[in-house]
Amino acid sequence: MPAASIKKSRILTGIQPSGDMQLGNYLGAVKHWVMNQDVQTNFIPVVDLHSITVKQDPRELYRQTVSLVAMLIACGIDPDKSTLFIQSHVSAHAVLAWVLNCTTPVGWLERMIQYKEKAQNQERVSTGLLTYPVLMAADILIYDADEVPVGEDQKQHVELTRDIAERFNNIYGETFVLPEAVVPKVGARVMGLDNPLIKMSKSYAHVRGHAISMLDDSKEIERSIKRSVTDSYNEIRFSNEKERAGVNNLLGIYQVITGKTVDEVENDFNDARGYGDLKSRVSDVVISEIEPIKKRYHELINNSDELGRLIQKGDAAAKQYADPKLDIVLEKVGLHRNDNTGG
Ligand code: TYM
């Protein structure tokens, strides 16, 4: 096939600015976005509207949002190749979410695993927490994305997005592309270092030794990995057994960073003397991956003019696509923004 006729897939994927980016976000998602940005058309919003579904410190939220933009660029997202922008700056996302709220049955949302988990820990659950996946659907559908690269935990939300799109198409006629979730084969679920049975998450960032933040210093990373939960088998190999989840997780982290196969990874540890060696080698690869990212991040974050310029550029590029798509949707529903009836 001549190169000119190969259609680039269009991807949309988001990340929340609540707290610093952690290693799970990077290995399960961001690293893959970076690797594929030459062969795909990428739309990457920092989803600040999603973050306010749980309480945020208003003085901190915008700082964290800009910090995350800097971190994504430091990780390798190139603003010349990917449209990197702030979700709330493109108001079409929120308007489309409202329209889709009106065609999405509540029962679909109540079934979402993440909603059930998050609702459990709250005294009073906001409507926003319930309709969170509808906003996520709007993020995806407004760019006609055909692929959504995410970690395992977001797969159910992308499947729901397909259902939401299909229902709208059935009611109002063909409007939305049905997107597919793309979950990496390795690293899709980086687990907590303190408890390898739950995924590494920013929500537990306050628990010491749970997560590695992309801004942790080398000593902290070394300490967290050294303290990580393992088992008493003293055998360094991949395993699906629950009791061996800790070692499996450390090997998985090592595998995504080195890009090696399962056999190659296990061979690397043939000469290791116990879990002490495993932990120090995993620390070494994590630190050498994160150090240059941290250095770039600190350079960028001190250049707020440049960051502001890049954000404006991303916002404008996103609006150029999202606004006309919203017009199409609104017209289908009977809401005409570009009213010509005045003559
Ligand atoms: P968020 O901000 O929680 O996470 C961003 C990305 O990181 C992945 N991830 C992980 N992958 C592997 N192991 C982990 N421990 C881990 N923790 C997080 C997530 O799967 C995700 O890909 N609802 C989304 C944000 C969002 C979105 C969207 C995503 C809003 N709109 C539209 C895709 C498309 C979220 O909270 O991701």
Side-chain angles (χ1 to χ4, degrees), residues 37-283:
Q37 66 187 336
D38 282 322
V39 293
Q40 296 171 332
T41 304
N42 283 0
F43 287 92
I44 307 178
V46 169
V47 294
D48 51 352
L49 292 172
H50 277 98
S51 286
I52 61 165
T53 54
V54 293
K55 196 163 180 284
Q56 300 293 328
D57 178 349
R59 287 163 308 187
E60 272 296 292
L61 184 58
Y62 192 64
R63 190 198 62 75
Q64 284 174 193
T65 303
V66 175
S67 162
L68 183 53
V69 171
M71 179 52 81
L72 288 166
I73 298 172
C75 288
I77 297 294
D78 178 347
D80 285 331
K81 294 180 181 167
S82 296
T83 303
L84 177 60
F85 64 103
I86 297 179
Q87 182 193 35
S88 67
H89 294 185
V90 182
S91 49
H93 289 236
V95 179
L96 179 59
W98 176 256
V99 173
L100 296 175
N101 269 329
C102 298
T103 53
T104 304
V106 174
W108 289 6
L109 303 175
E110 285 169 336
R111 277 201 297 275
M112 292 295 107
I113 296 166
Q114 215 167 66
Y115 167 71
K116 288 197 239 175
E117 280 172 3
K118 285 193 180 169
Q120 240 176 25
N121 305 326
Q122 316 239 345
E123 253 174 57
R124 236 182 254 130
V125 177
S126 73
T127 313
L129 196 62
L130 178 68
T131 62
Y132 174 115
V134 181
L135 178 58
M136 197 166 147
D139 297 339
I140 298 167
L141 300 177
I142 204 154
Y143 297 98
D144 293 315
D146 29 42
E147 289 180 9
V148 186
V150 282
E152 180 72 40
D153 62 318
Q154 296 299 323
K155 202 170 159 212
Q156 194 189 30
H157 289 159
V158 181
E159 283 160 3
L160 177 75
T161 298
R162 283 178 71 86
D163 293 339
I164 291 175
E166 214 166 4
R167 187 175 170 90
F168 187 95
N169 287 351
N170 285 339
I171 300 172
Y172 293 106
E174 249 354 88
T175 310
F176 295 122
V177 172
L178 305 191
E180 296 271 2
V182 180
V183 178
K185 289 196 180 68
V186 183
R189 216 172 148 75
V190 176
M191 310 307 277
L193 296 175
D194 61 329
N195 177 358
L197 299 179
I198 59 168
K199 72 158 191 173
M200 187 180 283
S201 163
K202 285 177 259 191
S203 324
Y204 301 109
H206 57 283
V207 178
R208 257 182 108 204
H210 168 78
I212 290 175
S213 152
M214 297 296 285
L215 291 173
D216 279 352
D217 68 35
S218 307
K219 283 270 163 282
E220 272 171 274
I221 297 175
E222 221 178 295
R223 220 175 301 131
S224 301
I225 295 183
K226 207 179 220 167
R227 271 207 309 255
S228 67
V229 169
T230 47
D231 55 58
S232 53
Y233 292 96
N234 220 15
E235 207 184 344
I236 306 177
R237 62 173 176 83
F238 286 96
S239 163
N240 290 329
E241 290 167 57
K242 246 185 175 178
E243 314 88 82
R244 299 189 189 211
V247 169
N248 193 63
N249 190 37
L250 292 177
L251 289 173
I253 291 172
Y254 181 92
Q255 190 185 9
V256 200
I257 295 176
T258 59
K260 294 186 176 180
T261 64
V262 167
D263 286 346
E264 286 167 346
V265 171
E266 289 181 346
N267 282 340
D268 278 0
F269 290 97
N270 276 343
D271 64 340
R273 282 164 305 161
Y275 290 163
D277 268 3
L278 166 70
K279 289 177 175 180
S280 81
R281 290 186 204 176
V282 173
S283 290

